Amino acid sequence: VYFDRINAYVRMREAMNRADFAEAARQADVMVETVSRMGNTALLQDAGPWGGSRSGAGLAKVARELCTWTGGTKGKLIAALPEVASFRTDPAGDGVVGRWYREDPGGEWQDLSMTSAWESQGIVTPEGRSYNGVAWYRVNVDVAKLPERPARLLVPELAGSGVWAWCNGRFAGHTAKDLDNPLSVGLGDLLVQGSNLFVLR
């Protein structure tokens, strides 16, 4: 049963990484049902790789919530952020003043997965310690058709952080730190048909 719980958890994460939130919610139900057969809810408290602090039960809740946001109940998925983004740390807080949200911000950026904590991907300070501070992600997303209703940017991968977001060089908004719900920012009229640049601080 423990293996079945881990298997469902891994499948849930994989589905979330490819933005298949309906399948992620289904695997969340499998995971919870498997644990209920054992009668040991402590098995839902393992720390998860998304940010390093989200438990199995917490990630299951996010999967179900994202399913409603993207499957037609509260909204519809029109495009998914790619898993890999350009990434740069900002230990001195230079990014906003340096306009890193512009089309060509200069500087040294590297490819990094947005579905895994940066600590687990080798991001460290010059002294070799885990980096703990502000960082930026840049991704391009193609939108085939603009939605009829105002679009929202969901960033569940960046769990636990407050996020500042720019779309096509213009500030979209800021989310508060929230460990229990997917982070999202309204895009207003910033989204365009075709290629869109999203920058997340």
Side-chain angles (χ1 to χ4, degrees):
V1 175
Y2 186 77
F3 173 80
D4 292 341
R5 198 278 300 187
I6 293 291
N7 192 42
Y9 182 81
V10 168
R11 288 183 178 184
M12 177 174 59
R13 286 187 54 236
E14 289 172 346
M16 290 184 79
N17 289 354
R18 64 178 184 270
D20 185 351
F21 301 116
E23 176 62 14
R26 192 180 79 74
Q27 292 297 332
D29 292 338
V30 170
M31 180 183 68
V32 172
E33 189 276 330
T34 301
V35 169
S36 70
R37 279 188 281 141
M38 291 191 68
N40 183 0
T41 56
L43 291 176
L44 292 175
Q45 301 309 312
D46 290 353
W50 279 32
S53 60
R54 178 161 285 158
S55 69
L59 190 57
K61 177 186 175 193
V62 170
R64 292 187 193 103
E65 182 68 16
L66 288 169
C67 190
T68 66
W69 275 103
T70 60
T73 306
K74 292 182 181 177
K76 182 179 176 184
L77 182 67
I78 59 168
L81 296 177
E83 183 176 353
V84 176
S86 294
F87 174 88
R88 184 176 179 186
T89 60
D90 188 8
D94 296 329
V96 174
V97 173
R99 299 183 179 182
W100 292 3
Y101 50 83
R102 296 288 188 188
E103 184 67 35
D104 184 12
E108 295 183 15
W109 297 75
Q110 67 184 87
D111 289 343
L112 207 72
S113 171
M114 291 203 302
T115 59
S116 227
W118 65 55
E119 294 88 350
S120 66
Q121 299 180 73
I123 302 301
V124 295
T125 66
E127 298 78 30
R129 297 188 183 98
S130 291
Y131 177 73
N132 184 14
V134 173
W136 293 67
Y137 295 89
R138 298 172 56 86
V139 293
N140 284 291
V141 177
D142 286 326
V143 175
K145 183 180 178 183
L146 291 177
E148 295 177 5
R149 293 186 287 175
R152 293 194 71 79
L153 172 67
L154 295 172
V155 285
E157 299 88 349
L158 306 181
S161 301
V163 176
W164 296 18
W166 287 261
C167 179
N168 298 318
R170 294 169 60 195
F171 185 63
H174 174 264
T175 72
K177 180 175 181 178
D178 190 341
L179 291 172
D180 297 320
N181 297 291
L183 301 179
S184 71
V185 176
L187 296 176
D189 63 350
L190 302 180
L191 199 67
V192 299
Q193 189 168 330
S195 181
N196 290 267
L197 171 65
F198 289 101
V199 181
L200 310 173
R201 175 190 183 273

